[in-house]
Amino acid sequence: MKNTKQCHFCTNNIKDINYKNTEVLKRFTDPFSRIIPKAQTGACAKHQRKLAEAIKQSRFLALIPFVTR
């Protein structure tokens, strides 16, 4: 039996993932600032893609770090 998680964005009816909302984006990165895979986050495929794009855009604009020590 699979232990499936519900998508955080679908259950809370969040339509858009904003790159400026760093608190939400940090929830989906590990301590080394890597993007956590959807198998661990429980996000659906659509939201995982949007989440990855938002994290990458936020990194590019230096809102969140690429790497932490």
Side-chain angles (χ1 to χ4, degrees):
M1 179 185 266
K2 274 186 159 181
N3 186 8
T4 57
K5 295 182 182 180
Q6 293 290 339
C7 177
H8 169 74
F9 303 102
C10 291
T11 55
N12 295 326
N13 202 17
I14 299 172
K15 301 285 184 203
D16 190 32
I17 302 170
N18 195 346
Y19 69 92
K20 296 177 198 170
N21 194 351
T22 58
E23 293 304 315
V24 172
L25 298 179
K26 285 180 184 177
R27 282 186 53 199
F28 294 96
T29 57
D30 68 1
F32 297 106
S33 296
R34 294 180 298 195
I35 300 171
I36 300 174
K38 84 175 198 158
Q40 291 178 351
T41 62
C44 63
K46 176 176 118 179
H47 286 116
Q48 183 71 20
R49 285 191 303 270
K50 289 184 179 184
L51 181 66
E53 284 297 318
I55 290 172
K56 290 173 187 177
Q57 188 173 8
S58 184
R59 283 177 179 164
F60 181 75
L61 295 171
L63 298 176
I64 58 175
F66 278 95
V67 180
T68 55
R69 292 184 186 204

